Amino acid sequence: MSERSVAALIVEQLEKAGVHHCYGIVGDTLNDITDAMSRSTVDWVHVRHEEVAGFAAGAEALMTDRLTACAGSCGPGGLHFINGLFESHRNRAPVILLASQISRELLGNDFPQEVDFLSIYRNCSVFCEQILTADQAPAVIRRACQAALTQRGVAVVVIPVDISKAKTEAVTQTIWHPHPQLLPNPDELDIIAALLNQGKRITLYAGAGCEGAHDALVTLAEKLNAPIVNTSRGKDFVEYNNPFSVGMTGIFGCEAGFEAIKQCDVLLLLGADFAWSQFYPDNATIIQIDQEATHLGRRHPIAFGAVGRITDTLAALLPRIHQHSDDRFLHTILHLREKSVHRRLKEEQRATGQPIHPQYLVSLLNRYAEQDALFTADGGSAMVWLLRHIDSLGTRRTLTSLLHGTMANAMPQAIGLQVAFPQRQVIALCGDGGLSMLLGDLFTLMQEALPIKLVVINNGSLNFVELEQKIEGLLDHYTKLKNDNFAKVAGAIGLYSQKVIEAETLEQAVIRFLAHPGPALLDVHTHPNELVMPPEVSLKQLTDTALYAAKAVFHGRLSDVAQLVGSEISQKLGK
């Protein structure tokens, strides 16, 4: 049996696991692995910051359901992945990190660039081990790949450089990725059916676990005369071609979604793990079905919980459900939904003046983007406008940082999506603060020839943080950003770019921008006081916002108060 390097064996093992791309930055302790990769079918994607590699790999892995790799050198190179990998792990994306390390004989002596990767990455991974001997390499890589694929998360393999260089006669191992059926037992299904059949005002709350269950979900709602509320992560799988869909609840949601949950007497949670307990019903029978037993009842007390994949479970549950005849609750909620849609359309039609209303901007993207476009959005207000004003259509996909809550994810995730889907249009809604954080990877768009469309919602502030401060009755501190012209920066790098400050010119600018064949950036100066309002405004929020206004006046910031009063909040709080 012929010998070869462990580095070559590792790359061959990744090929067997179905890895198409590896994102990262080359470096000394990684050189043997990248050299082996250059002769393989795994394509290297050269980013400018390892954090971007973590985000990009996670986006590809999540949307393709395919193991995706990233790799970095020892010390600082390996550390830079941490935020991108926390995001990927919380999204349950099957990613493997190859964290190269200094030689084993130098470990434990505070050698330059020595970092204990195992203690750091165990907090954001389903597998985290170091290869100790050359012959151990295939088993460790196999276990890492299988853990990432079957447990849905990040696997980290630490590889000392002397191990990478070592020779071995070991052979690669088969990667197993089974897809078992998963559903409650018959007795549990009977209990769930009985609770639903007895209910009068039933609401279905559908989360990301409803992927692939759209038609069965609609059939269940039709039988129960039940409105369907979706979580933000369930948007793509629920809202399209769905006469029972009434939107979201929570701060990003609408009145219809809020009331559908608050007024129901039975709430069925389907693959939903919505974290904010104040938005759950006060006096309802709550049933929860989830793939993870640990999720049952962890957000709010429930009456009954069962483990099951939603597609499998609904197929077994539907024959047990009786047809409900009373549709009064459903029509009450659908009437509220009509009001919410009318309000959304009114917001989207504010097409004059400056600064530009972000709802109008995103409505234009929704209108002119391709039917199967892929959208990303930075955390903060960009995320809200994406969720509220982009229609999924059943063919589009949306991705934003809903679990990790970071603010610089849109462009890096767009890189991963464009690499994975080179023929599809990829649009990133970037906050001006978020894009600034990882601005250097604009060069990656040019280097890798990625025709990503970056839209900068440029409101001159860390807008979501500023709004949080005002709603809490605080003066806004340290949130202002001075970034007048991202278009000039992008143009200098080689991207097609344009700055837009007037709403009257925006539509044609969006059309030209989306039609450009290569990477492009549209710098849109939007209203800094466009508030993200929850479906229910509390008395405390009213009081605290008034307190902010009083403080601002006392500190000589009368113009800020005038802008706030002139914004949408004055209309919504006064309704």
Side-chain angles (χ1 to χ4, degrees):
M1 189 176 297
S2 61
E3 285 190 332
R4 55 182 164 163
S5 71
V6 170
L9 182 146
I10 289 171
V11 172
E12 184 181 329
Q13 190 79 74
L14 294 182
E15 289 180 300
K16 270 194 170 182
V19 173
H20 288 195
H21 302 108
C22 182
Y23 299 80
I25 298 176
V26 298
D28 51 358
T29 55
L30 189 65
N31 287 340
D32 287 275
I33 292 174
T34 51
D35 180 68
M37 200 169 288
S38 70
R39 297 186 296 276
S40 75
T41 60
V42 178
D43 289 331
W44 180 266
V45 182
H46 183 186
V47 299
R48 300 304 176 97
H49 195 293
E50 288 93 348
E51 182 176 338
V52 170
F55 281 118
E60 175 177 337
L62 183 68
M63 291 296 187
T64 62
D65 192 29
R66 181 173 67 213
L67 185 66
T68 304
C70 51
S73 58
C74 63
L79 280 178
H80 280 163
F81 286 97
I82 189 71
N83 198 43
L85 289 184
F86 254 106
E87 168 78 14
S88 300
H89 183 65
R90 284 182 162 153
N91 281 342
R92 298 175 64 87
V95 171
I96 183 168
L97 168 65
L98 306 179
S100 65
Q101 179 61 286
I102 60 174
S103 294
R104 287 172 297 169
E105 72 271 13
L106 301 175
L107 291 172
N109 289 303
D110 196 23
F111 196 79
Q113 294 192 315
E114 180 180 354
V115 171
D116 182 3
F117 290 130
L118 295 176
S119 64
I120 291 169
Y121 281 111
R122 282 199 173 112
N123 289 324
C124 63
S125 61
V126 295
F127 180 94
C128 189
E129 296 291 345
Q130 179 168 293
I131 300 177
L132 300 175
T133 69
D135 291 343
Q136 186 190 40
V140 173
I141 296 294
R142 175 188 55 75
R143 289 169 55 213
C145 293
Q146 285 185 198
L149 287 166
T150 59
Q151 296 180 49
R152 306 295 301 178
V154 171
V156 178
V157 179
V158 181
I159 311 165
V161 64
D162 57 313
I163 293 286
S164 297
K165 295 176 179 295
K167 300 294 184 179
T168 180
E169 293 184 351
V171 296
T172 56
Q173 299 182 4
T174 301
I175 308 295
W176 298 102
H177 186 194
H179 295 84
Q181 189 180 38
L182 185 65
L183 73 165
N185 67 51
D187 291 341
E188 292 173 326
L189 289 168
D190 288 341
I191 293 171
I192 295 168
L195 292 171
L196 292 172
N197 288 330
Q198 294 165 12
K200 303 298 182 186
R201 302 184 310 278
I202 303 168
T203 293
L204 309 182
Y205 196 13
C210 289
E211 182 175 3
H214 175 276
D215 292 351
L217 186 65
V218 172
T219 301
L220 179 62
E222 186 175 21
K223 276 193 164 188
L224 296 172
N225 278 319
I228 302 175
V229 181
N230 63 269
T231 66
S232 46
R233 296 179 70 232
K235 170 185 172 72
D236 295 353
F237 316 123
V238 175
E239 70 174 17
Y240 68 94
N241 296 336
N242 187 347
F244 303 94
S245 175
V246 298
M248 299 180 294
T249 187
I251 191 172
F252 302 160
C254 62
E255 186 179 9
F258 178 82
E259 295 296 341
I261 288 180
K262 282 295 184 179
Q263 293 183 24
C264 70
D265 63 8
V266 176
L267 178 65
L268 177 59
L269 300 174
L270 295 166
D273 190 38
F274 183 68
W276 285 268
S277 60
Q278 65 267 36
F279 290 98
Y280 284 82
D282 299 320
N283 298 295
T285 298
I286 301 179
I287 309 162
Q288 185 175 6
I289 302 170
D290 201 283
Q291 288 188 154
E292 299 289 339
T294 55
H295 289 187
L296 299 178
R298 75 168 177 168
R299 305 304 188 187
H300 192 280
I302 61 175
F304 190 78
V307 172
R309 186 173 294 108
I310 303 306
T311 50
D312 299 336
T313 302
L314 291 186
L317 180 64
L318 277 168
R320 294 170 160 87
I321 300 299
H322 303 156
Q323 179 64 54
H324 286 219
S325 58
D326 188 347
D327 61 1
R328 288 174 295 176
F329 175 62
L330 172 62
H331 283 291
T332 296
I333 301 302
L334 289 176
H335 177 66
L336 292 176
R337 177 61 173 168
E338 289 177 8
K339 289 172 59 179
S340 299
V341 171
H342 177 74
R343 189 179 299 117
R344 164 186 159 173
L345 293 174
K346 186 177 179 181
E347 291 174 348
E348 292 176 350
Q349 290 167 0
R350 294 179 296 175
T352 58
Q354 56 175 294
I356 295 165
H357 291 286
Q359 299 95 320
Y360 176 56
L361 163 64
V362 180
S363 74
L364 291 175
L365 296 171
N366 187 48
R367 185 189 314 171
Y368 291 110
E370 293 178 2
Q371 296 294 291
D372 65 345
L374 303 167
F375 290 86
T376 64
D378 277 334
S381 55
M383 167 174 62
V384 180
W385 308 133
L386 171 75
L387 295 171
R388 286 183 177 174
H389 299 279
I390 295 295
D391 296 320
S392 68
L393 305 179
T395 50
R396 291 174 173 172
R397 290 297 306 272
T398 58
L399 179 60
T400 185
S401 184
L402 292 161
L403 298 178
H404 191 45
T406 190
M407 61 178 279
N409 57 289
M411 178 178 64
Q413 289 177 330
I415 289 173
L417 295 183
Q418 193 71 85
V419 168
F421 302 99
Q423 304 306 316
R424 292 176 71 172
Q425 186 180 61
V426 178
I427 302 170
L429 274 65
C430 305
D432 46 352
L435 183 63
S436 300
M437 280 185 164
L438 295 169
L439 196 61
D441 269 87
L442 288 178
F443 287 101
T444 299
L445 274 59
M446 297 301 299
Q447 179 161 323
E448 300 290 332
L450 301 173
I452 294 167
K453 304 299 180 281
L454 302 175
V455 182
V456 185
I457 300 176
N458 191 345
N459 47 40
S461 71
L462 300 174
N463 189 241
F464 208 72
V465 177
E466 185 172 305
L467 299 180
E468 289 171 339
Q469 292 174 349
K470 291 177 179 179
I471 290 298
E472 292 173 7
L474 304 172
L475 285 173
D476 48 305
H477 292 296
Y478 318 123
T479 60
K480 302 303 181 187
L481 299 174
K482 191 171 183 180
N483 33 236
D484 182 63
N485 203 325
F486 283 98
K488 277 191 175 181
V489 176
I493 291 173
L495 282 74
Y496 168 92
S497 61
Q498 184 178 354
K499 172 182 172 181
V500 184
I501 61 174
E502 294 180 345
E504 289 81 358
T505 65
L506 182 60
E507 183 170 3
Q508 289 304 311
V510 166
I511 293 171
R512 290 192 300 270
F513 160 75
L514 293 177
H516 182 73
L521 181 144
L522 194 66
D523 181 9
V524 184
H525 288 239
T526 60
H527 204 296
N529 285 315
E530 195 69 50
L531 295 191
V532 177
M533 297 302 298
E536 181 184 62
V537 180
S538 69
L539 178 61
K540 185 178 187 303
Q541 288 171 324
L542 280 168
T543 304
D544 288 347
T545 305
L547 179 61
Y548 155 75
K551 288 180 179 178
V553 170
F554 294 152
H555 283 77
R557 293 164 59 174
L558 187 59
S559 61
D560 290 357
V561 177
Q563 287 182 347
L564 181 66
V565 171
S567 74
E568 193 70 9
I569 190 172
S570 62
Q571 301 171 34
K572 291 181 177 178
L573 294 182
K575 68 180 180 179

